[in-house]
Amino acid sequence: MRTAREYIPGLSLLVVGAGLARVAGARVPGVNELLVAIVIGVVLTNAVGIPTWMRRGVRTHNLWLGAGIVLMGASLALDTIVESGAVVVVSVLAVTLFTLVYVEALARGVFGLGERLGSLLAAGSSICGVSAVVAVAGSIEAKEEHLAYAAATVLLFDAITLLAYPVIGRVLELPAQVFGMWAGLSMFSTGPVVAVGFEHSSAAGQWATVTKLTRNALIGVVAVGYATYYARRRMDTDGSSSVQWRELWDRFPKFVLGFLALALIASAGVFSAGQLASMETAYGWLFLLAFVGLGTDLELQKLRCAGVRPVLVVLLAFATVSVVSLAGLLTVVG
């Protein structure tokens, strides 16, 4: 009981911050509530400071994020992905692979960032935003400040694209399929993708959702790939010649398995529409709790060491992928 009571103050802080972020997202048009949540955490840790007696509860944010990712798997309709056709699948595979390699090359070769921070930025840019950042962070033992910075960078671009994409779609008069697939291929997080898709039209919203969920399905593959790479690197350093599967299992983020399992169950039609809606509401709140906590890891004194380089890496990669994918879609399906 004494241990449980030690978590209550910090958890209460996360709950209050999540509630404020939800209100801001509902009442202010165009505001991403997840970005507000992380900003609240940033303000708390830098302007106010987190008291020692609150820190234990605040640091549970990784638990809530992992639980949210598991529940998010219910929104992954595998049968819909299969029916979406070769164009979506091939486009997603090509863009994902290109983005992973491009961001890694920019981060390490051009901007001189640490390899783990570069990998987090690559995962977030190529797969599904913060969810991919967290999945990969768990498998490569990334520092918490790197995780928080990568998450904040991804959410910054989510906020920008949430406002910019509908304007670009109207100015260029993009067809529904082109706009929906473009959003699904180049934007980072699922919520903003779906929002801008349906803001354009119902058809665009459907294409955006299918395309984005196809990208989301690669989260497990990428997490395992990074876990294997970093585990092998560490073992080679230690003098071991091969990867031990026990080591990989210990490093692998177990919530990714829950995510994939729930996706399979949901695709089998086990859950009702009401149950799916409840799970969506639940993981939305879990993400808000987690992002307030993640924001508290963004201590500006520490982040000054990284500077603007991570943002520039993602900016260059995003601009390239956005332009190239739109040009390709206009040629193939436009």
Side-chain angles (χ1 to χ4, degrees), residues 154 156-166 186-188 192 196 318:
V154 166
L156 172 63
F157 282 88
D158 282 343
I160 294 172
T161 53
L162 192 61
L163 298 174
Y165 266 52
S186 57
M187 292 177 67
F188 294 161
V196 302
F318 169 74

Side-chain angles (χ1 to χ4, degrees), residues 66-136:
I69 291 173
V70 171
L71 290 180
M72 191 177 67
S75 66
L76 191 69
L78 299 180
D79 55 341
T80 303
I81 293 174
V82 172
E83 294 171 1
S84 64
V87 174
V88 170
V89 174
V90 171
S91 298
V92 165
L93 291 175
V95 169
T96 299
L97 179 60
F98 173 79
T99 306
L100 273 171
V101 174
Y102 189 37
V103 173
E104 288 279 8
L106 285 175
R108 302 187 191 195
V110 178
F111 289 91
L113 296 178
E115 59 180 7
R116 282 177 168 76
L117 177 56
S119 296
L120 296 185
L121 294 172
S125 302
S126 62
I127 306 296
C128 53
V130 175
S131 299
V133 169
V134 176
V136 170

Side-chain angles (χ1 to χ4, degrees), residues 28-92:
V28 182
V31 169
N32 185 330
E33 62 182 21
L34 297 181
L35 185 60
V36 174
I38 206 166
V39 168
I40 289 173
V42 171
V43 171
L44 286 172
T45 195
N46 290 281
V48 180
I50 306 297
T52 303
W53 48 275
M54 278 189 168
R55 288 178 185 171
R56 179 167 291 188
V58 169
R59 292 194 178 278
T60 60
H61 60 76
N62 285 331
L63 173 63
W64 311 127
L65 196 50
I69 291 173
V70 171
L71 290 180
M72 191 177 67
S75 66
L76 191 69
L78 299 180
D79 55 341
T80 303
I81 293 174
V82 172
E83 294 171 1
S84 64
V87 174
V88 170
V89 174
V90 171
S91 298
V92 165

Side-chain angles (χ1 to χ4, degrees), residues 19 21 78 92 96 102 140 162 172 240 271 273 309 331:
L78 299 180
V92 165
T96 299
Y102 189 37
I140 68 176
L162 192 61
L172 298 181
S240 177
F271 301 121
R309 290 180 298 164
T331 301

Side-chain angles (χ1 to χ4, degrees), residues 135-152:
V136 170
S139 65
I140 68 176
E141 296 184 345
K143 294 181 179 178
E144 284 206 352
E145 56 263 33
H146 288 170
L147 169 59
Y149 197 91

